[in-house]
Amino acid sequence: FWLKLSLAQAVWPTIYPVFWLAVEKPILSSMVRAMQLLALVAVAAAEDEACLLQSQVQEHREHQKDQQCFETGTYYSPNMPDMRITVSNAYHCQSYCAITPGCTYFSFWPDGGCQLQQKAKEELTKVTASSAYSGVIMGPAVCPGDESLINMLDPSTAYCIQHQQEDCCKCGVCCMPYCDTTKEPKMWSVRAGCSLQVTGYCGGDTTSPGAPARYSAAPTCS
């Protein structure tokens, strides 16, 4: 035994470099690569989580902004005469105000009625609604901070004033652009009667299974 041990000790310094290159080094390299891969996966997961959190924060901020822009249970008076219409929600009512010359504030009522006011806030009377109408929502024609933005609901609102029975009016998508596949080349288009005008090649596959068919024809709510 001691002879074998002495021989192994004598030979080991000679064969170790070969053993290192053939066995230990590849194992260690594989372990390092595995650790690097795990680190990359962890970084990617952290980035995805950060993006999701950022998106949720942005949605929360948008919701907060709407909550600060709109007010429930109060309304301004007097109303613009002969301007009442029926709409689906407070956003449609706000859009109606935004496209109406002179309108500064709106009030959306529980029965779907939309009333407009055209004076400055200081010239209007702020009224607290009775319990029967406590769900009334009021707000400005454009929320603060949105003045330079394009509200895609506005063209549809203008269209629906003239075409109130159209299905697309319920969700405000009447004037959303779509890819007209009846033309060649395929071009971006909008429903006839919309004030919004668009152009440009859209191309792509809009008809095969899985393709966004909602973009290949004038949109509806159904």
Side-chain angles (χ1 to χ4, degrees), residues 49-67:
E49 185 175 353
C51 289
L52 177 60
L53 179 60
Q54 184 177 5
S55 175
Q56 291 173 338
V57 168
Q58 182 63 28
E59 289 179 1
H60 178 66
R61 287 175 177 171
E62 291 294 329
H63 178 69
Q64 280 188 322
K65 185 181 73 173
D66 287 343
Q67 293 298 311

Side-chain angles (χ1 to χ4, degrees), residues 20-198:
W20 161 256
L21 292 173
V23 180
E24 286 192 355
K25 185 176 181 180
I27 292 175
L28 288 174
S29 298
S30 298
M31 292 175 63
V32 170
R33 286 195 296 269
M35 293 175 67
Q36 290 173 335
L37 180 60
L38 288 173
L40 290 173
V41 170
V43 170
E47 290 178 348
D48 288 344
E49 185 175 353
C51 289
L52 177 60
L53 179 60
Q54 184 177 5
S55 175
Q56 291 173 338
V57 168
Q58 182 63 28
E59 289 179 1
H60 178 66
R61 287 175 177 171
E62 291 294 329
H63 178 69
Q64 280 188 322
K65 185 181 73 173
D66 287 343
Q67 293 298 311
Q68 294 167 358
C69 179
F70 293 176
E71 189 174 328
T72 302
T74 59
Y75 61 94
Y76 281 129
S77 179
N79 297 321
M80 295 176 67
D82 304 320
M83 297 299 291
R84 184 187 185 278
I85 63 171
T86 300
V87 296
S88 301
N89 55 51
Y91 294 99
H92 291 182
C93 189
Q94 183 189 38
S95 178
Y96 176 46
C97 179
I99 66 171
T100 301
C103 182
T104 54
Y105 288 89
F106 72 90
S107 54
F108 174 69
W109 295 81
D111 63 355
C114 176
Q115 295 278 17
L116 308 182
Q117 297 83 45
Q118 64 179 349
K119 297 181 179 180
K121 181 190 298 186
E122 296 75 16
E123 301 177 64
L124 294 169
T125 301
K126 192 173 187 179
V127 182
T128 300
S130 64
S131 58
Y133 297 100
S134 59
V136 62
I137 299 172
M138 58 155 284
V142 180
C143 288
D146 289 350
E147 292 85 357
S148 62
L149 302 179
I150 297 174
N151 187 346
M152 291 300 295
L153 185 59
D154 291 351
S156 295
T157 301
Y159 175 88
C160 290
I161 292 174
Q162 305 298 326
H163 307 83
Q164 297 180 21
Q165 302 306 315
E166 292 277 359
D167 174 77
C168 59
C169 292
K170 293 182 294 185
C171 56
V173 297
C174 297
C175 295
M176 291 294 291
Y178 66 94
C179 188
D180 190 348
T181 57
T182 64
K183 297 179 180 179
E184 194 59 45
K186 300 178 180 69
M187 302 292 288
W188 285 108
S189 184
V190 292
R191 182 183 266 101
C194 290
S195 59
L196 179 68
Q197 297 296 311
V198 298

